[in-house]
């Protein structure tokens, strides 16, 4: 019997994809991500012994390792094929340590795409384990542990339990806080624009038939036009209406618009947000699925894209030839450049992997659309179109600029006409702002000649105000992080997710706003750990990690150079950092009860104002901040809707307070009067519920309509419209069938008395199936269970797990670095 070789990858999905292409001489197993890590509740780094890490088996991975060891006994050659990045190298290194045997030969194989050709080529050219790459990941892991596990407890002690600091996440929060303060400090200034509506004909009869066009005022007396107020604008319009408008210069030229390079990780995250509104985390999750393999009809599991963690724009020669053949056949020779296009990498880019591209031109998005869900297809189509467009001819644009003199002023009209669409027939990159999009819009100008006198139809003055810098979206934050060299593109999704989970920032209408907690923690960290929160310092550290991977720096020396000053700063901060817990932050707001200063305190339900005279004075109130960041205490007796309410017990005004279950009315005379009343969600009136939409269901007790309502935890449920006369209520069913064999019920969302959410069977108590976490209608690739469950942990972040404990399958991926 021929001895088998063992191939170890990270995910079971990859196992199924790779098995298709390998013969019986290979056994393929999955490690399910990392198998070893630093201990979850200890520092786990001996700073006195050259930063020796204390790795241990991750909880729940003993069974996985036992299975791998059993398979390794039958193999003398073990091929380690975790992802081709630093995290993957660390996984390979730890597996090799656990399976170490003098009779075993370990090989490192790098799969940059899961196609038959790439897999077989990688196995024919295995490499040794890359020690410098592993040391780079090790240095990053230890750096993050030294920062996070030593600053976070200090924040618990000084501010609030449960807070966290991170080497990269804290800098990302600082960027958002700094931008918000720029917006608050911004002073808007008035200015006016003047647009002339002109036409080539002079007499009114001709003017009506001629093609009119617009020209913008650009200069006054040879200087840039500056019109500050309405009086200046109206005066200028009055003078210009008596002037002749004459063409003084015509500038015509052809402009080429070149295609963008194929996607890097950060560009994919940015463009998926701009065009599809996908958060970075969702983009990376979907890209992982496309890379690992998707069921495509009779072809089975197919890896549709190359590795999705890369900052290189390089594309293989074979892929370029294939896409050029595709362009020739689909668009014709007019769209195919004479030679392949190449794109330079940005400075410091790692060139280990290709750009993100389709693995094969055989799988056109429309041909396999029926096999992909809506979001997966949208992302695959985006990657496909960008890649194909990157090898097409540029678009040609005829651009015309006409300068028009009128007295002491100069107007300019611009027009552009697309004469050859080139790559734009397939793909046009998205824009971050409306201004960028509007800048692309331009039309055709009529035929004009020098010294031609134009007909003036009207002059339109328009008021404007200068705008503050825009808040970050996911796309612009990723762009900023990359440009400043903070973190790596493969970590951006995790960073953005973490700073929201920790409630340092919130997202409103896709824009990031720092929370009160975010401002507070950032200010404390900037004051006490200036290096850690310094953008350039963080960028330099990322560069050092790259140099470790290249073998140009020693990882222990890098850590030592960082840790010595950091330890001194940490010691000073333990005594010098301001004590917020129990004392609050002083404000200039005066307590309405005792006239002492109010302080900002942090409670379970967020920040609030409390009297500094506590416990003698227990006055508290909610507050907001205006557009300049100034504290605005909530007025007594008003909600955000401006509705007044009086306490029925003592006659004092009621105020809106926030509790663990949301907002409610409370007497302003507290603690002498403890009267409270519910606040109707979405209203602000005296408890009247807003109109509920009909559900089409009928109450089984009285025959009235069932309507959607919310309980105190925010969960929706069905209730009879005749409440309180009829108190019939039932949980809202999902469209997911109960997975218990033989059960005909559906899963419903429920809440425990403590507010914990879970899903149970609608046929309870006949069926007692229960599931903690959010169910997802996705088949487990390992045991074919019809449902997965979405869970999250501090260590692993969000992941999908099989609902069957005995299966143990997880779709988890530590966002590593390329």
């Amino acid at each position: 019997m021929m001895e088998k070789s063992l191939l170890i990858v990270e995910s079971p999905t990859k196992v199924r994809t790779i098995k298709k292409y390998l013969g019986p001489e290979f056994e393929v197993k999955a490690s399910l991500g990392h198998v070893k890590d630093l201990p979850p509740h200890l520092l786990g780094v001996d700073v006195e012994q050259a930063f020796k890490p204390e790795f241990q088996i991750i909880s729940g991975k003993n069974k996985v390792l036992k299975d791998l060891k059993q398979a390794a006994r039958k193999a003398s050659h073990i091929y380690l094929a975790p992802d081709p990045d630093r995290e993957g190298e660390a996984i390979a290194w730890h597996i090799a340590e656990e399976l170490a045997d003098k009779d075993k030969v370990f090989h490192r194989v790098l799969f940059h795409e899961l196609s038959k050709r790439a897999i077989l080529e990688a196995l024919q050219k295995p490499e040794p384990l890359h020690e410098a790459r592993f040391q780079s990941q090790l240095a990053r892991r230890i750096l993050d542990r030294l920062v996070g596990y030593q600053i976070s407890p200090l924040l618990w002690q000084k501010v609030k339990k449960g807070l966290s600091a991170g080497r990269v996440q804290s800098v990302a929060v600082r960027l958002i806080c700094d931008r918000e303060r720029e917006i608050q400090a911004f002073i808007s200034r008035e200015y006016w624009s003047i647009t002339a509506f002109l036409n080539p004909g002079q007499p009114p009869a001709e003017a009506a038939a001629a093609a009119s066009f617009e020209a913008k005022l650009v200069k006054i007396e040879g200087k840039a036009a500056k019109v500050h107020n309405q009086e200046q604008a109206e005066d200028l319009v009055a003078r210009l209406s008596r002037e002749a408008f004459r063409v003084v210069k015509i500038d015509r030229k052809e402009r080429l618009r070149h295609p963008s390079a194929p996607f890097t990780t950060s560009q994919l995250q940015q463009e998926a947000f701009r065009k599809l509104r996908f958060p970075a985390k969702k983009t990376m999750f979907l890209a992982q699925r496309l890379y690992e393999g998707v069921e495509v009809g009779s072809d089975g599991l197919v890896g549709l894209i190359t590795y999705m963690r890369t900052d290189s724009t390089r594309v293989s020669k074979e892929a370029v030839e294939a896409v050029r053949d595709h362009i020739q056949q689909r668009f014709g020779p007019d769209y195919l450049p004479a030679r392949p296009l190449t794109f330079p990498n940005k400075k410091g880019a790692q060139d280990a992997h290709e750009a993100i591209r389709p693995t094969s031109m055989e799988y056109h998005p429309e041909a396999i659309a029926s096999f992909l869900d809506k979001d997966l297809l949208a992302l695959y189509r985006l990657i496909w179109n960008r890649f194909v467009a990157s090898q097409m001819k540029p678009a040609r644009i005829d651009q015309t600029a006409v300068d028009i003199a009128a007295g002491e002023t100069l107007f300019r009209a611009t027009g552009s006409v697309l004469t050859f669409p080139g790559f734009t027939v397939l793909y046009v990159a998205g824009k971050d702002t409306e201004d960028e999009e509007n800048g692309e819009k331009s039309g055709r100008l009529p035929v004009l000649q020098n010294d031609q006198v134009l007909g003036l139809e009207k002059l339109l003055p328009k008021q404007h105000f200068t705008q503050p810098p825009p808040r970050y979206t996911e796309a612009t934050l990723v762009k900023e992080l990359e440009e400043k060299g903070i973190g790596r593109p493969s970590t951006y999704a995790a960073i953005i997710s973490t700073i929201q989970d920790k409630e340092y920032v919130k997202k409103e209408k896709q824009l990031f706003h720092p929370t009160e907690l975010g401002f507070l923690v950032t200010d404390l960290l900037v004051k006490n750990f200036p290096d850690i929160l310094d953008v350039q310092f963080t960028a330099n550290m990322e560069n050092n990690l790259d140099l470790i991977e290249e073998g140009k720096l020693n990882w222990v020396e890098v850590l030592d150079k960082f840790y010595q000053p950091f330890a001194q700063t940490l010691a000073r901060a333990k005594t010098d950092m301001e004590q917020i817990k129990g004392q609050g932050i002083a404000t200039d707001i005066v307590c309405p009860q005792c006239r002492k200063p109010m302080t900002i305190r942090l409670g379970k339900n967020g920040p609030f104002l409390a009297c500094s005279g506590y416990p003698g004075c227990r006055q508290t109130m909610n507050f907001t901040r205006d557009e300049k960041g100034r504290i605005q205490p909530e007025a007594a007796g008003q909600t955000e809707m401006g509705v007044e309410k009086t306490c029925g017990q003592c006659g004092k005004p009621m105020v809106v307070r926030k509790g663990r279950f949301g907002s409610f009315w409370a007497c302003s005379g507290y603690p002498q009067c403890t009267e409270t009343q519910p606040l109707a969600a979405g209203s602000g009136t005296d408890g009247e519920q807003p109109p509920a939409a009909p559900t089409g269901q009928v109450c089984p007790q009285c025959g009235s309509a069932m309507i959607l309502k919310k309980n105190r935890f925010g969960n929706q449920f069905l209730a009879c419209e005749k409440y309180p006369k009829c108190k019939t209520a039932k949980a809202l069913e999902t469209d997911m069938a109960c997975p218990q064999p033989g059960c005909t019920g559906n899963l419903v969302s429920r809440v425990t008395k403590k507010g914990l959410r879970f899903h149970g069977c609608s046929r309870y108590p006949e069926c007692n199936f229960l599931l903690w976490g959010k169910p997802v209608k996705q088949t487990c690739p390992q045991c074919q269970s019809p449902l997965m469950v979405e869970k999250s942990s501090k260590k692993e972040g969000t992941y999908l797990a099989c609902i069957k404990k005995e299966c143990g399958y997880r779709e988890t991926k530590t966002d590593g670095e390329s």
Side-chain angles (χ1 to χ4, degrees):
M1 180 180 176
M2 187 176 68
E3 184 184 64
K4 285 191 175 186
S5 294
L6 175 62
L7 175 67
I8 301 174
V9 294
E10 288 183 48
S11 117
T13 306
K14 285 186 192 174
V15 171
R16 295 174 59 208
T17 304
I18 292 169
K19 271 186 174 179
K20 291 196 320 172
Y21 306 125
L22 299 183
E25 65 272 18
F26 275 94
E27 183 172 8
V28 187
K29 292 284 185 179
S31 70
L32 304 177
H34 282 270
V35 294
K36 294 169 76 172
D37 197 5
L38 298 173
H41 304 298
L42 299 170
L43 183 64
V45 179
D46 190 340
V47 295
E48 302 296 332
Q49 297 295 322
F51 302 97
K52 182 181 178 182
E54 300 168 8
F55 285 110
Q56 63 182 39
I57 306 299
I58 295 172
S59 176
K61 288 300 178 75
N62 282 307
K63 181 182 176 183
V64 173
L65 278 173
K66 182 180 178 182
D67 187 38
L68 292 179
K69 288 176 180 178
Q70 188 173 351
R73 291 194 195 104
K74 307 170 189 175
S76 57
H77 288 268
I78 299 174
Y79 293 82
L80 301 170
D83 285 347
D85 57 16
R86 293 177 189 170
E87 293 295 324
E89 201 66 38
I91 294 171
W93 200 273
H94 290 148
I95 292 173
E97 285 179 342
E98 290 300 309
L99 304 186
D101 188 311
K102 60 183 176 64
D103 295 327
K104 309 294 181 189
V105 179
F106 289 92
H107 308 277
R108 180 75 167 108
V109 287
L110 305 175
F111 297 147
H112 299 287
E113 61 181 86
L114 297 185
S115 63
K116 184 176 182 179
R117 177 192 57 79
I119 291 168
L120 296 179
E121 282 183 5
L123 287 170
Q124 288 169 5
K125 299 176 182 178
E127 304 174 3
L129 286 166
H130 197 303
E131 185 172 10
R133 187 178 295 142
F134 167 65
Q135 289 173 347
S136 178
Q137 190 278 342
L138 181 63
R140 184 201 64 79
R141 187 75 186 92
I142 292 173
L143 271 172
D144 291 345
R145 179 58 65 100
L146 292 174
V147 173
Y149 269 50
Q150 295 188 88
I151 297 182
S152 297
L154 186 58
L155 292 176
W156 301 355
Q157 176 190 341
K158 300 283 188 176
V159 184
K160 180 185 176 184
K161 192 173 181 181
L163 299 181
S164 75
R167 185 180 60 87
V168 178
Q169 78 172 52
S170 296
V171 179
V173 177
R174 181 183 184 176
L175 290 175
I176 295 170
C177 290
D178 287 350
R179 176 59 58 87
E180 192 69 23
R181 288 197 164 120
E182 285 181 60
I183 295 169
Q184 292 171 355
F186 183 82
I187 298 173
S188 183
R189 300 190 185 280
E190 180 184 10
Y191 71 97
W192 287 69
S193 66
I194 297 178
T195 304
F197 289 79
L198 306 165
N199 62 64
Q202 251 181 328
E206 293 179 27
S212 63
F213 62 97
E214 297 177 19
K216 299 283 186 183
L217 176 66
V218 292
K219 287 186 179 181
I220 301 174
E221 295 182 345
K223 297 180 180 179
K226 292 182 180 179
V227 184
H228 299 292
N229 52 50
Q230 184 175 359
E231 184 181 356
Q232 290 179 6
E234 290 177 347
D235 178 64
L236 198 55
V237 167
R239 285 189 284 124
L240 288 171
S241 61
R242 298 189 293 270
E243 298 285 353
F245 283 73
R246 182 173 56 85
V247 175
V248 294
K249 182 182 177 183
I250 300 175
D251 184 16
R252 294 188 180 93
K253 59 183 177 181
E254 183 180 74
R255 182 169 68 90
L256 295 180
R257 184 177 177 186
H258 296 278
S260 301
F263 281 127
T264 61
T265 302
S266 67
Q267 287 292 329
L268 177 63
Q269 292 171 357
Q270 292 174 54
E271 197 73 340
F273 177 82
R274 294 182 191 118
K275 286 182 171 288
L276 306 175
R277 281 294 182 254
F278 288 174
K281 187 175 181 180
K282 178 176 182 176
T283 297
M284 295 308 291
F285 173 74
L286 294 172
Q288 183 90 26
R289 287 180 61 193
L290 290 170
Y291 164 68
E292 292 187 347
V294 178
E295 290 281 355
V296 180
S298 59
D299 289 351
L301 272 173
V302 176
L304 290 174
I305 65 169
T306 53
Y307 190 56
M308 64 287 160
R309 290 182 175 86
T310 178
D311 53 6
S312 172
T313 58
R314 178 178 58 83
V315 175
S316 71
K317 182 181 177 182
E318 294 81 7
V320 170
E321 289 173 354
V323 73
R324 284 174 61 83
D325 286 344
H326 173 80
I327 295 168
Q328 173 81 22
Q329 294 170 18
R330 192 173 183 88
F331 298 97
D334 289 345
Y335 288 84
L336 186 66
R339 60 181 62 88
L341 304 180
T342 58
F343 301 89
N345 283 328
K346 67 180 181 65
K347 185 180 178 181
Q350 305 292 301
D351 199 38
H353 323 301
E354 288 185 56
I356 303 169
R357 61 167 176 81
T359 55
S360 171
M361 301 310 293
E362 294 177 18
Y363 297 106
H364 191 283
E366 308 317 316
I368 61 172
S370 61
F371 303 111
L372 306 180
D373 62 46
K374 179 182 175 183
D375 290 344
L376 210 57
L377 176 61
L379 189 66
Y380 181 57
R381 186 184 284 124
L382 191 70
I383 294 167
W384 175 282
N385 289 348
R386 173 86 164 220
F387 175 60
V388 175
S390 73
Q391 288 296 326
M392 295 175 72
K393 278 187 177 179
R396 289 197 298 271
I397 301 166
D398 277 350
Q399 200 165 51
T400 304
V402 180
D403 286 355
I404 302 160
E408 64 198 19
T409 66
L410 186 73
F411 285 75
R412 181 165 294 147
T414 58
S416 61
V417 178
L418 186 68
T419 58
F420 175 67
F423 74 95
T424 63
V425 297
L426 185 62
Y427 185 86
V428 177
K431 303 294 180 183
D432 287 318
T433 65
E434 288 184 11
D435 287 343
E436 287 181 294
E437 290 176 1
N438 293 337
E440 294 287 321
K441 296 176 183 176
S442 193
R444 185 187 295 272
L445 292 176
V447 176
L448 301 172
Q449 296 177 352
N450 276 320
D451 292 325
Q452 182 176 349
V453 177
L454 304 173
L456 174 64
E457 296 179 2
K458 65 176 179 178
L459 287 165
L460 179 66
K462 189 173 183 181
Q463 185 185 40
H464 306 271
F465 292 93
T466 55
Q467 297 297 311
R471 291 183 175 90
Y472 289 110
T473 63
E474 286 219 11
T476 56
L477 182 58
V478 165
K479 185 178 181 181
E480 187 82 353
L481 291 171
E482 183 179 37
E483 287 180 352
K484 293 186 179 300
I486 300 167
R488 300 294 294 173
S490 52
T491 67
Y492 296 157
I495 292 167
I496 291 172
S497 178
T498 298
I499 63 178
Q500 292 179 86
D501 292 344
K502 295 297 180 182
E503 298 182 352
Y504 292 145
V505 302
K506 60 184 177 181
K507 198 189 291 185
E508 295 178 3
K509 296 181 180 178
Q510 303 295 343
L511 300 174
F512 283 119
H513 298 250
T515 63
E516 199 71 33
L517 181 62
F519 273 130
L520 170 60
V521 171
T522 297
D523 289 345
L524 286 174
L525 293 179
V526 168
K527 183 177 180 181
N528 293 277
F529 297 92
D531 281 350
I532 298 297
L533 269 289
D534 181 73
V535 170
Q536 192 57 51
F537 180 87
T538 306
N540 289 340
M541 187 57 69
E542 292 296 339
N543 185 54
N544 286 341
L545 294 174
D546 291 341
L547 293 175
I548 292 171
E549 181 173 352
E550 294 167 18
K552 296 177 181 177
L553 284 180
N554 179 278
W555 72 278
V556 175
E557 291 176 3
V558 170
L559 290 176
D560 189 61
K561 186 177 179 180
F562 163 81
Y563 190 71
Q564 296 308 318
F566 173 70
Q568 295 172 14
T569 304
L570 184 67
R572 281 196 302 271
K574 288 179 179 177
T575 56
D576 296 349
M577 184 181 281
E578 184 180 356
Q579 182 71 40
I580 305 299
K581 184 186 283 188
Q583 297 180 17
I585 305 167
T587 72
D588 56 3
I589 307 297
V590 176
C591 174
Q593 297 287 342
C594 69
R595 312 307 296 171
K596 289 184 178 179
M598 301 289 281
T599 61
I600 298 175
R601 298 284 187 95
L602 297 173
K604 293 180 184 176
N605 309 299
F608 63 96
L609 289 173
C611 182
S612 58
Y614 179 87
C617 177
R618 295 175 177 264
Q619 177 68 29
T620 63
M621 62 180 75
N622 294 325
F623 71 94
T624 57
R625 289 189 184 267
D626 63 17
E627 68 278 1
K628 295 297 181 184
R630 295 176 294 234
I631 295 172
Q632 302 293 317
E634 287 192 358
Q638 291 192 343
T639 69
E640 294 177 357
M641 302 292 289
V643 178
E644 296 186 359
K645 191 173 180 67
T646 303
C647 176
Q649 296 294 324
C650 68
K652 289 187 177 180
M654 302 285 279
V655 294
V656 177
R657 303 236 188 255
K658 291 180 181 176
R660 58 186 294 204
F661 305 125
S663 298
F664 62 95
W665 287 108
C667 181
S668 60
Y670 179 86
Q672 288 76 24
C673 178
T674 58
E675 175 71 7
T676 62
Q677 292 179 18
L679 178 72
S683 64
T685 60
D686 287 343
E688 292 182 17
Q689 291 287 343
T695 63
Q697 297 195 38
V698 176
C699 173
Q701 296 295 326
C702 68
S704 300
M706 297 290 280
I707 58 176
L708 276 178
K709 287 196 172 185
K710 282 187 178 180
N711 60 20
R712 60 179 184 171
F713 304 108
N715 252 32
Q716 288 186 321
F717 66 98
L718 291 171
C720 180
E721 66 175 353
K722 297 296 185 183
Y723 179 86
K725 289 183 180 179
C726 177
K727 297 185 178 181
T728 302
K730 63 179 183 176
L732 195 63
E733 293 190 16
T734 69
D735 61 351
M736 286 175 267
C738 174
Q740 286 283 66
C743 182
T744 58
N746 280 358
L747 294 186
V748 297
S749 176
R750 302 187 188 276
V751 184
T752 68
K753 291 180 180 179
K754 294 184 178 181
L756 300 175
R757 289 179 171 84
F758 68 97
H759 283 75
C761 182
S762 59
R763 296 183 62 247
Y764 178 84
E766 289 83 3
C767 175
N768 59 4
F769 176 81
L770 182 147
L771 186 66
W772 295 101
K774 178 184 175 182
V776 177
K777 194 185 287 186
Q778 181 175 320
T779 303
C780 172
Q782 188 159 288
C783 71
Q784 305 305 306
S785 171
L787 293 179
M788 304 277 281
V789 61
E790 185 179 293
K791 294 187 176 183
S792 63
S793 67
K794 290 182 179 179
K795 183 165 37 176
E796 296 181 68
T798 303
Y799 60 90
L800 288 178
C802 181
I803 61 171
K804 295 181 180 179
K805 290 183 179 179
E806 63 273 17
C807 172
Y809 172 70
R810 289 186 179 190
E811 277 191 12
T812 179
K813 169 70 185 179
T814 302
D815 273 321
E817 303 176 5
S818 296

